[in-house]
């Protein structure tokens, strides 16, 4: 051990807090200014960082300057730059100054609002913001606190799905009268549903063979067919199984497909199943009247979730979950312990969000979403969605105008799915993988891929906060440039 | 709707990012400077905030000044001030400048490191920091990446427990050869184990009646008795059940009890159960040689978790989980989807942390813990723990020296459990509740309570970052002052 001897130290001294925080603000602002200089997808090799950093913690303190130097020299080269305007991969995680300010306040106040009394403002602001957001999406009042429902902020869609699945499971097991019935419960989703639903079902103890993956196809633009869902349910009932949970998606990850919410909702009602709507990506768009029709039928759902941390200018992490009958969530997730007992909770006049989520502890995420909404206003938030969709439309038109390319699945939001047309269908995958690799390895843009109906294609998700029209045009130029070298024979 | 018409807007413009972030830094620094002026526990009434804020989102953008004014006037009064030096409730959530800087970088870079390729630095720094932390705790190399194990950062102990329970469940069900055996699996904990374990067991589908709560008592200072655990296991086996998971705790929430890790580990080995150690609170102390003996026997555990967001100067949220056989975690939690496929993952040469946690998405939490460790160094981190323990020892001595009071459970770390001695045991609860309410409602300090062996007591958890000796002395003065009015007859 070193020879450093600590004296009294003040890890939260307001003056050095202020000075050092401002240095980091400058560091991040400079990062944003230079962000286009980095290769979008990191070019490091596995294990690169362990060669740069010591393998044990330092004994003596180190300076912020030294730490920021290491961030610049060792961390930044190993990042894939999600905030780059040339990031078109997965779905974006669009940060904003407003979201960042909210995160700062959340982290600076550092309260742990597990129940109302532990910080009433954290609970009450969350309930208010959930109603604001629900009203922006024109959710029925049955999902709002001002109506008969309510909402909560989770960290991820997966958490929202795990919690609603558990609520549905416990409600149904109670009705069936025995926990051994857990092996009879069946969950339904499509082959386009996010993999998180399958993972969540497994996590809460649904038998692996009781997770139904309903196939979709080009004929429905990869949206779930109500007839196929109903047929699967009928078959399971005949086999003595119990339909539990159906997940419909608004804006699937692979290709942005939208499931028919109204029809699925009717089926779920008929069979008394829990119906959850996963609007993680495209839920944000539904604040615009022109996209709101995708939500028609939401009144038939039991729960709906969407992620402001994707397309709503809200820094990670933030997932909104609304429920109609919050009682079932609380029944399944509540926990009581003597040290948490307090008059407010026992009066039943307050929300204790620990009973609406997996963990006991929780961050004050509502500040972030509240500031995002206020600093932009609904007007600018709609403007933001529409400008991304316009850019995607522009990109789509460029693809369509070039006869070497084709759109694979029609665009609905700001995700464009396209490919180089192969001479032989069997070569499509190889050809487009080559193009994708060429673009990504250039460092000038980063896209990912999908496969639907056996067809490999390239996904361009537009929506990084700093992306402007010229970035989209540059991307298209880059794709065309790289496509030159992707001859069909190679 | 308003008349505001949005023009082009730039939600992440570096200059306004910098200006506005600095304004918020100043706001938070000012909050810290004034933090002792607020009542520690909020005095608002349920529903207070909905009277102050509009019930719908604004259409036009609002200024940061207006927002910060609302934070001051509407949010701060509704906070229970976890960063106050007079906060002695629950366990502390000790923030630090270092932790805040890490949160800023995490939020500013806003990368989503679900797999290696999506931001290699996020994954690799996490693995490196988990090894640093593991070495600081002198964990056997079987828990380190540099050995044969590995670690991951979760958001909470609950997530760590859910994930390890699921891993144990799936490993055991595989061995038993059928998912219907889920109803035979049994989880063991004590009546002092955090309620999160019971909640987690229910979440992953363990039958409610198969959660064993082993009673503890004054005779073992509320530590789990190995004999009682073994007896419960034997009884379950006789009944045809399958022992699955045993949780031992280092520093229980109610009274800071420590379970006998070595003995429990031997039992778990004997019955081939998963043994998890929950060191959420007191794990931090184990970086000091004088506390490390509590971890003896950790080599017999399958997993161990502790929360830097409690007592390790790391802002929310941050929970370290180490495992010996990471394979079982990954087997249970892995999910694959075409859009996530990449060469690095398929080469099996990298860690994909999405398979080590509940959600797909994840924040770059490792930055925070890395900066906390570097900016303080092991020397100052030990100093920090020891100074809190010294203050607790000082407070304990004050209690002991006053014959009206007594220590209820002997102190091990920085949590003091005491009470006013009642004339009649049957009046102890009423008397101490009255004292607790009197102190808390003064606004000058905030403490919580516990009940062990039927005895109600007051918990003083020392460890808020800004707490100094004089705060502890003031607390004692306040308690004595209020105790004057708690006559035995009232």
């Amino acid at each position: 051990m070193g020879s450093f001897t600590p004296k009294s130290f003040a890890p939260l001294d307001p003056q050095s807090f202020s000075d050092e925080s401002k240095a980091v603000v400058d560091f991040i602002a400079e990062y944003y200014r230079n962000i286009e200089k980095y290769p979008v997808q990191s070019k490091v090799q596995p294990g690169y960082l362990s060669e740069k950093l010591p393998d044990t913690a330092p004994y003596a303190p180190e300076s912020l300057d030294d730490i920021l130097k290491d961030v610049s020299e060792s961390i930044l080269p190993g990042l894939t730059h999600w905030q780059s305007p040339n990031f078109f991969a997965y779905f974006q995680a669009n940060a904003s100054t407003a979201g960042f300010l909210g995160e700062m306040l959340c982290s600076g106040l550092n309260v742990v609002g597990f129940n109302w009394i532990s910080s009433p403002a954290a609970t009450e602001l969350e309930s208010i913001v959930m109603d604001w957001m629900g009203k922006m999406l024109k959710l029925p009042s049955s999902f709002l606190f001002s109506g008969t429902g309510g909402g909560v902020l989770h960290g991820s869609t997966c958490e929202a799905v795990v919690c609603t699945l558990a609520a549905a499971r416990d409600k149904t097991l109670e009705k069936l009268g025995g926990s051994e019935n857990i092996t009879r419960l069946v969950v339904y989703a499509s082959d386009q549903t996010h993999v998180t639903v399958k993972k969540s079902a497994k996590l809460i103890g649904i038998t692996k063979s009781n997770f139904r993956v309903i196939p979709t196809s080009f004929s429905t633009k990869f949206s779930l067919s109500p007839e196929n869902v109903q047929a699967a349910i009928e078959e399971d009932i005949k086999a003595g199984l119990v339909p539990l949970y159906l997940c419909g998606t608004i804006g699937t990850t692979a290709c942005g497909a939208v499931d028919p919410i109204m029809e699925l909702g009717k089926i779920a009602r008929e069979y008394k199943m829990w119906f959850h709507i996963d609007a993680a990506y495209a839920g944000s768009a539904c604040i615009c009247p022109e996209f709101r029709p995708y939500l028609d039928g939401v009144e038939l759902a039991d729960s709906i979730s969407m992620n402001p941390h994707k397309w709503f200018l809200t820094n990670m992490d933030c997932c909104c979950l609304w429920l109609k009958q919050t009682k079932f969530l609380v029944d399944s997730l509540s926990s009581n312990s003597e040290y948490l007992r307090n008059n407010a909770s026992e009066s039943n006049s307050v929300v204790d969000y620990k009973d609406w989520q997996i963990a006991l502890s929780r961050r004050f995420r509502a500040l972030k979403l509240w500031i995002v909404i206020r600093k932009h206003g609904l007007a600018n938030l709609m403007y933001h969605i529409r400008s991304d969709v316009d850019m995607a439309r522009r990109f789509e038109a460029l693809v369509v105008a070039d006869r070497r390319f084709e759109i694979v699945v029609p665009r609905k939001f700001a995700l464009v799915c396209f490919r180089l047309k192969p001479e032989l269908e069997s070569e499509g995958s190889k050809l487009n993988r080559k193009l994708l690799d060429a673009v990504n390895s250039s460092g000038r843009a980063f896209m990912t891929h999908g496969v639907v109906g056996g067809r490999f294609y390239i996904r361009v998700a537009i929506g990084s906060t700093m992306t402007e029209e010229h970035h989209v045009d540059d991307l298209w130029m880059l794709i065309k440039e790289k496509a030159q070298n992707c001859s069909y024979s190679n």
Side-chain angles (χ1 to χ4, degrees), chain A:
Chain A
M1 286 297 162
S3 59
F4 173 81
T5 308
K7 293 173 218 98
S8 169
F9 82 132
L12 199 57
D13 169 69
Q15 192 54 52
S16 56
F17 169 87
S18 177
D19 295 343
E20 297 192 321
S21 295
K22 287 176 182 174
V24 170
V25 165
D26 286 335
F27 182 92
I28 298 170
E30 198 59 19
Y31 168 70
Y32 291 149
R33 283 190 190 98
N34 293 318
I35 198 162
E36 293 191 57
K37 292 180 186 158
Y38 302 99
V40 188
Q41 186 184 30
S42 174
K43 289 173 180 266
V44 298
Q45 293 301 308
Y48 90 99
L49 193 57
S50 58
E51 291 168 15
K52 291 171 179 272
L53 299 182
D55 60 3
T56 52
Y59 185 76
E62 299 185 82
S63 73
L64 180 59
D65 283 351
D66 284 349
I67 294 168
L68 288 179
K69 189 162 171 277
D70 281 348
V71 174
S72 287
E73 292 175 5
S74 302
I75 303 298
L76 295 187
L79 292 184
T80 292
H81 300 277
W82 285 66
Q83 299 316 313
S84 165
N86 300 310
F87 183 95
F88 302 101
Y90 312 113
F91 282 126
Q92 61 282 359
N94 61 30
S96 70
T97 297
F100 184 81
L101 302 178
E103 271 290 314
M104 286 173 84
L105 282 170
C106 167
S107 180
L109 301 175
N110 210 43
V111 301
V112 189
F114 39 69
N115 55 12
W116 182 85
I117 195 73
S118 71
S119 251
T123 296
E124 297 203 9
L125 187 66
E126 186 161 327
S127 298
I128 290 169
V129 166
M130 287 304 296
D131 263 22
W132 279 19
M133 194 75 203
K135 287 176 186 171
M136 287 165 81
L137 292 169
K138 300 202 175 9
L139 295 186
S141 66
S142 53
F143 286 102
L144 306 180
F145 285 107
S146 56
T148 50
V152 59
L153 289 176
H154 283 174
S156 65
T157 300
C158 200
E159 184 171 359
V161 172
V162 165
C163 291
T164 51
L165 270 167
R169 177 198 63 190
D170 293 342
K171 178 188 170 194
T172 302
L173 288 180
E174 176 82 23
K175 208 167 57 186
L176 296 174
S179 61
E180 71 283 1
N181 289 300
I182 191 170
T183 57
R184 294 170 61 208
L185 306 178
V186 187
V187 174
Y188 302 81
S190 90
D191 57 7
Q192 299 300 309
T193 303
H194 198 279
V195 67
T196 221
V197 179
K198 187 177 177 184
K199 178 172 176 174
S200 301
K202 190 180 172 206
L203 192 73
I204 67 130
I206 300 299
T207 304
K208 219 169 166 179
S209 56
N210 285 353
F211 187 80
R212 296 283 163 271
V213 179
I214 316 285
T216 61
S217 67
F218 280 104
S219 70
T220 60
K221 295 174 190 161
F222 299 96
S223 120
L224 197 46
S225 142
E227 294 73 31
N228 293 350
V229 173
Q230 187 149 18
I233 291 172
E234 286 290 345
E235 201 173 314
D236 285 328
I237 291 174
K238 269 186 212 140
L241 300 176
V242 180
L244 176 72
Y245 188 101
L246 169 63
C247 180
T249 306
I250 298 179
T252 62
T253 304
C255 66
V258 175
D259 292 333
I261 299 306
M262 184 75 82
E263 288 87 335
L264 295 179
K266 286 178 186 163
I267 292 173
R269 277 274 170 286
E270 185 179 343
Y271 294 96
K272 298 188 170 31
M273 299 161 68
W274 189 290
F275 181 37
H276 180 75
I277 300 174
D278 169 12
Y281 164 59
S284 298
C286 297
I287 61 165
C288 302
E290 65 272 31
F291 292 111
R292 177 59 179 75
Y294 290 125
L295 273 177
D296 287 354
V298 61
E299 62 276 11
L300 299 174
D302 295 281
S303 52
I304 171 170
S305 58
M306 52 84 65
N307 292 352
H309 70 216
K310 283 197 167 63
W311 197 11
F312 208 68
L313 298 171
T314 307
N315 299 41
M316 286 277 295
D317 49 358
C318 189
C319 169
C320 296
L321 168 67
W322 292 271
L323 301 110
K324 237 183 228 167
Q325 295 181 282
T326 60
K327 169 192 180 307
F328 294 117
L329 195 72
V330 173
D331 283 353
S332 185
L333 300 174
S334 71
S335 57
N336 283 303
S337 195
E338 181 62 39
Y339 82 102
L340 296 172
R341 286 183 67 178
N342 66 89
N343 294 336
S345 296
E346 284 167 23
S347 72
N348 276 321
S349 61
V350 297
V351 167
D352 286 338
Y353 273 127
K354 73 180 176 60
D355 299 336
W356 295 53
Q357 63 175 20
I358 296 174
L360 172 69
S361 62
R362 63 200 323 267
R363 303 194 307 129
F364 192 174
R365 292 193 189 99
L367 274 172
K368 182 166 59 176
L369 187 53
W370 183 56
I371 296 179
V372 163
I373 294 172
R374 291 187 65 180
K375 256 201 109 240
H376 299 117
L378 175 57
N380 271 325
L381 289 164
M382 290 195 294
Y383 178 89
H384 151 72
I385 295 288
R386 285 168 176 156
S387 72
D388 287 345
V389 173
D390 284 346
M391 285 192 280
R393 196 177 285 125
R394 179 186 180 94
F395 183 83
E396 184 188 35
L398 293 168
V399 171
V400 168
D402 189 321
R403 54 171 196 77
R404 292 173 300 167
F405 292 87
E406 66 181 355
I407 295 294
V408 173
V409 184
R411 180 196 55 75
K412 284 197 164 70
F413 306 103
L415 171 67
V416 182
C417 301
F418 73 102
R419 65 169 188 168
L420 259 176
K421 282 186 246 180
E423 271 186 17
L424 293 169
E425 189 53 48
S426 61
E427 309 223 307
S429 169
K430 196 177 160 196
L431 177 70
N432 283 282
R433 268 181 207 278
K434 196 177 166 191
L435 173 59
L436 180 64
D437 285 348
V439 169
N440 289 349
S441 63
S442 77
R444 290 155 56 195
F446 180 37
M447 314 180 292
T448 48
H449 72 278
V451 175
V452 286
R455 206 163 289 180
F456 183 101
Y457 60 93
I458 297 174
R459 292 170 80 262
V460 167
I462 290 170
S464 289
T465 311
M466 293 189 274
T467 302
E468 297 176 27
E469 248 176 42
H470 70 90
H471 296 104
V472 173
D473 292 346
D474 288 349
L475 173 66
W476 179 240
M477 294 293 284
L478 175 63
I479 290 169
K480 284 201 298 186
E481 172 196 323
K482 298 299 178 186
Q484 298 285 11
N485 303 323
C486 294
S487 75
Y488 299 134
S489 56
N490 285 347

